[in-house]
């Protein structure tokens, strides 16, 4: 009887995946995205898999089955000032990222841990990496002959689709660098289309070509091109969800796991818990994320915020550097346990720069927002929340005491914002399994099926003109033109026959 129980249990899908060895290579130096990777890799380790992670931010506390390898000596992005961000246009901003990321990539190949990995004889079952910047470590998927999984910590990027043959129709799918919803007018569709193709060309010329050179230099001349390696992708886990972001068609290798990083088991420090508990009029939580330093607001803007907060009965919890001179209702700190703060019942508004992870936490907690977008995907994220009635947008150039008060009072006192936030929270949570469980299932699926090549879309085998059906369209147009000529000349001949205007050749008589 006991043996039969063992057989039944081991027949379950959860037992099919034996312990695998997983290689995590996360070469993006920004800190905020690491909450996604740490959550994901720790969950894999808890499942019994052996996870080796090469990253800029090792865990603070060791985890069983999880081995950290630091690459932090290759340089980190420090927080930037608001003036730096505001002074950049779209392509200035992406070029700023490009230069920093390419420099980091070049330095990576001088890192001892990376050099040791290149000479390692360890056998891995799958490689997981970040989908954002240059794919300078993608050569390890070739080096170890293992399936490749990407994690996109943002919504789908313009350069994601070609890796798995996924459709990105700019007619109704805004790319993350434009602040449009999925309902665009003509000019918005035009801007969205031009931006989408321009960013794809930019990514290929400015990132893929230099990356190709690095791959050939460090992984050998027989290493496939970065484009070929990208198209060998087995799975992309994307930090989006159709309830919050744009609904879109997806091939099986495109899996939405929006909110993967959200963990509801955290606990606030006692003093902060008391501060929130005793806020009878509610709390406004203000954070500009990990990359943008709030203390770099201009003195005028800082004074506008402080003056506005001082006129409100709510308490304010503000993530900002050590600046003195705040009213009694403002509590500052350089770091807070953000999700634990947001899910506190007394938090009434989340003031945010529009980072996707923070927005997802606020939506999960059902908290309306006041968005102050700066760059990257932030304008799109905030615009999306405004369109769903869960946020008010305040433009940076419009920051005054009066405008801050007006925006906050609108969110605080118009009940529709909290009602919409609660409704959207229900939609965001309503799934067959959690985002993290979804990510783990599909990761193990790829491992079980050795890269799951049966999920691969045939679109990847088409040339660009075949994919766009230009050859088919050209043949159809040619046939229509040919048919038009046949009909035209047939009609012309018939018309002459009917009207008697047909001339016959003269018959020569014999003399």
């Amino acid at each position: 009887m006991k043996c039969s129980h063992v057989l039944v249990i081991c027949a379950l899908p959860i037992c099919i995946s034996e312990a695998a060895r997983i290689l995590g290579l996360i070469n993006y130096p920004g800190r905020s995205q690491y909450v996604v990777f740490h959550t994901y890799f720790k969950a894999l380790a808890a499942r019994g898999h052996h996870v080796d992670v090469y990253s800029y931010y090792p865990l603070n506390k060791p985890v069983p089955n999880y081995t950290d390898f630091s690459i932090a000596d290759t340089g980190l992005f420090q927080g930037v000032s608001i003036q730096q961000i505001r002074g950049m246009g779209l392509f200035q901003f992406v070029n700023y990222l490009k230069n920093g990321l390419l420099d980091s990539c070049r330095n990576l190949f001088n890192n001892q841990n990376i050099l040791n990995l290149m000479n390692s004889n360890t056998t891995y079952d799958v490689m997981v990496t970040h989908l954002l910047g240059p794919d300078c470590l993608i050569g390890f998927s070739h080096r170890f002959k293992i399936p490749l999984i990407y994690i996109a910590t943002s919504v789908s990027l313009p350069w994601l689709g070609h890796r798995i043959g996924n459709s990105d129709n700019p007619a109704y799918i805004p790319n993350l660098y434009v602040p449009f919803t999925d309902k665009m007018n003509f000019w918005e569709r035009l801007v969205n289309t031009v931006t989408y193709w321009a960013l794809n060309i930019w990514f290929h010329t400015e990132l893929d070509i230099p990356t190709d050179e690095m791959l050939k230099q460090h992984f050998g001349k027989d290493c496939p091109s970065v484009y070929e390696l990208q198209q060998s992708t087995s799975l992309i886990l994307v930090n989006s969800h159709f309830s919050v972001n744009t609904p879109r068609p997806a091939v099986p290798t495109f899996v939405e796991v929006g909110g993967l990083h959200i963990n509801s088991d955290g606990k606030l420090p006692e003093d902060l818990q008391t501060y929130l508990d005793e806020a009878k009029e509610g709390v406004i939580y203000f954070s500009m994320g990990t990359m943008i330093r709030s203390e770099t607001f201009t003195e005028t803007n800082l004074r506008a915020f402080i003056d506005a907060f001082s006129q409100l009965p709510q308490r304010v919890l503000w993530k900002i550097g050590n600046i003195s001179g705040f009213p009694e209702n403002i509590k500052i700190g350089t770091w807070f346990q953000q999700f634990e703060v947001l899910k506190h019942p007394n938090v009434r508004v989340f003031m945010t720069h529009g980072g996707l992870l923070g927005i997802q936490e606020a939506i999960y907690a059902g908290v309306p927002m006041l968005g102050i977008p700066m760059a990257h995907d932030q304008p799109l994220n905030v615009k999306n929340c405004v369109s769903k009635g869960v946020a008010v947008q305040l433009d940076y150039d419009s920051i005054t005491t009066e405008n801050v008060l007006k925006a906050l009072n609108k969110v605080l006192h118009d009940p529709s914002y909290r009602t919409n936030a609660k409704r959207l929270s229900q939609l965001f949570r309503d799934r067959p399994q959690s985002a993290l469980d979804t990510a783990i299932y599909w990761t193990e699926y790829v491992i079980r099926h050795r890269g799951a090549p049966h999920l691969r879309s045939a679109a990847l085998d088409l040339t660009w003109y075949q994919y766009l059906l230009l050859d088919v369209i050209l043949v159809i147009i040619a046939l229509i033109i040919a048919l038009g000529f046949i009909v035209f000349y047939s009609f012309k001949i018939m018309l002459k026959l009917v009207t008697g205007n047909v001339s016959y050749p003269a018959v020569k008589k014999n003399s």
Side-chain angles (χ1 to χ4, degrees):
M1 187 67 178
K2 290 182 179 179
C3 288
S4 63
H5 286 171
V6 171
L7 289 173
V8 170
I9 291 171
C10 288
L12 296 174
I14 197 170
C15 294
I16 292 175
S17 273
E18 297 178 357
R21 194 160 201 97
I22 297 168
L23 174 62
L25 292 169
I26 314 302
N27 61 307
Y28 181 69
R31 179 182 289 275
S32 61
Q33 287 81 0
Y34 276 84
V35 64
V36 173
F37 296 109
H38 287 160
T39 303
Y40 169 76
F41 287 130
K42 285 193 292 185
L44 286 169
R47 296 270 294 172
H49 302 295
H50 301 283
V51 186
D52 292 344
V53 180
Y54 292 73
S55 73
Y56 287 93
Y57 301 99
L59 294 174
N60 295 325
K61 296 179 181 179
V63 171
N65 300 327
Y66 187 123
T67 306
D68 267 316
F69 297 89
S70 176
I71 56 174
D73 60 320
T74 60
L76 297 174
F77 278 170
Q78 302 300 322
V80 297
S81 71
I82 289 169
Q83 286 70 36
Q84 283 178 288
I85 291 291
R86 294 296 301 172
M88 298 180 190
L90 169 58
F91 283 94
Q92 286 176 309
F93 179 74
V94 293
N95 275 316
Y96 163 75
L97 289 177
K98 176 205 77 173
N99 293 330
L101 291 172
L102 282 177
D103 286 343
S104 297
C105 275
R106 295 185 182 100
N107 292 332
L108 276 173
F109 293 103
N110 296 317
N111 178 270
Q112 192 58 51
N113 283 327
I114 293 295
L115 292 174
N116 291 342
L117 180 63
M118 294 185 73
N119 297 313
S120 171
N121 293 321
T122 305
T123 300
Y124 289 101
D125 297 291
V126 71
M127 169 180 158
V128 180
T129 191
H130 192 191
L131 177 59
L132 179 62
D135 287 305
C136 51
L137 296 181
I138 198 175
F140 281 107
S141 66
H142 169 70
R143 162 72 177 78
F144 292 109
K145 301 293 186 292
I146 50 177
L148 173 65
I149 295 176
Y150 281 105
I151 295 182
T153 54
S154 65
V155 298
S156 182
L157 292 145
W159 45 86
L160 180 154
H162 82 85
R163 299 164 196 245
I164 53 175
N166 205 55
S167 174
D168 268 334
N169 190 331
Y172 65 96
I173 301 175
N175 77 79
L176 86 166
Y177 289 102
V178 294
F180 304 146
T181 68
D182 53 353
K183 295 176 176 61
M184 293 175 274
N185 60 36
F186 171 78
W187 292 110
E188 288 172 337
R189 284 186 286 116
L190 176 63
V191 171
N192 187 44
T193 302
V194 171
T195 305
Y196 172 79
W197 286 110
L199 284 166
N200 269 287
I201 294 169
W202 170 86
F203 191 89
H204 174 70
T205 57
E206 298 295 319
L207 291 181
D208 278 349
I209 291 176
T211 300
D212 254 334
E213 296 172 359
M214 280 186 261
L215 293 181
K216 299 296 184 186
Q217 178 183 352
H218 297 287
F219 292 97
K221 294 183 179 180
D222 64 332
C223 181
S225 71
V226 66
Y227 187 83
E228 292 174 293
L229 291 171
Q230 288 168 349
Q231 289 206 314
S232 70
T233 301
S234 294
L235 178 69
I236 300 182
L237 302 171
V238 186
N239 189 29
S240 61
H241 190 258
F242 56 82
S243 66
V244 177
N245 308 107
T246 303
R248 61 192 306 147
V251 296
T253 47
F254 180 105
V255 177
E256 289 193 307
V257 290
L260 180 154
H261 68 291
I262 295 175
N263 182 353
S264 59
D265 297 331
K267 188 177 180 181
L268 288 169
E270 188 175 339
D271 61 329
L272 187 53
Q273 182 71 45
T274 301
Y275 181 81
L276 297 175
D277 289 342
E278 294 178 351
K280 296 180 180 179
E281 300 294 330
V283 176
I284 297 166
Y285 174 55
F286 188 8
S287 171
M288 295 294 287
T290 58
M291 187 176 179
I292 300 172
R293 292 180 285 122
S294 294
E295 60 272 20
T296 63
F297 275 114
T298 64
E299 186 175 343
T300 301
N301 286 343
L302 280 172
R303 179 48 53 191
F305 285 122
I306 293 170
D307 288 347
F309 295 153
S310 67
Q311 298 178 44
L312 294 170
Q314 287 78 24
R315 289 184 174 182
V316 177
L317 192 63
W318 192 352
K319 179 185 172 296
I320 192 171
N322 291 321
I323 297 177
S324 58
F326 288 102
E328 289 185 1
N329 69 327
I330 299 177
K331 180 179 179 65
I332 69 167
T334 56
W335 183 83
F336 295 108
Q337 293 165 281
Q338 182 162 283
F339 182 61
E340 283 69 30
V341 169
L342 287 170
K343 68 179 184 178
H344 192 283
N346 285 344
V347 173
R348 303 279 303 280
V349 180
F350 176 33
M351 294 180 63
T352 173
H353 64 308
L356 185 59
L357 301 186
I359 279 181
Q360 288 175 340
E361 291 169 357
I363 289 172
Y364 192 96
V367 176
M369 289 164 273
L370 170 57
I372 311 171
M374 295 291 170
H376 196 50
D377 61 339
Q378 297 158 21
L380 173 66
N381 296 335
V382 172
K383 180 69 174 288
N384 191 37
C385 290
V386 170
S387 71
K388 289 177 169 54
V390 298
V392 168
Q393 180 169 330
L394 177 64
D395 293 329
Y396 178 81
D397 295 328
S398 301
I399 294 174
T400 62
T401 301
E402 293 75 18
N403 287 341
V404 172
L405 278 171
K406 181 180 178 182
L408 279 172
N409 281 321
K410 187 174 183 180
V411 182
L412 285 166
H413 301 300
D414 184 340
S416 68
Y417 287 97
R418 181 159 288 273
T419 300
N420 291 335
K422 295 297 183 185
R423 180 184 57 81
L424 188 57
S425 175
Q426 291 176 347
L427 294 175
F428 188 59
R429 296 187 192 199
D430 191 356
R431 315 183 193 191
Q433 58 184 162
S434 72
L436 182 57
D437 287 343
T438 301
I440 298 305
Y441 170 81
W442 283 106
T443 300
E444 293 180 341
Y445 186 94
V446 167
I447 295 170
R448 284 197 300 273
H449 299 288
R450 302 182 183 276
H454 56 284
L455 298 181
R456 188 178 187 272
S457 170
L460 293 170
D461 300 321
L462 301 175
T463 61
W464 64 272
Y465 62 85
Q466 290 173 326
Y467 180 78
L468 295 174
L469 286 175
L470 296 183
D471 52 345
V472 174
I473 293 170
L474 185 62
V475 170
I476 291 173
I477 291 173
L479 289 174
I480 291 172
I481 292 173
L483 182 61
F485 274 112
I486 292 171
V487 171
F488 174 76
Y489 281 106
S490 297
F491 181 76
K492 189 175 180 181
I493 291 170
M494 289 175 62
L495 186 63
K496 286 182 178 181
L497 287 171
V498 170
T499 59
N501 291 330
V502 179
S503 59
Y504 298 98
V507 179
K508 189 176 181 180
K509 294 181 179 180
N510 293 326
S511 55

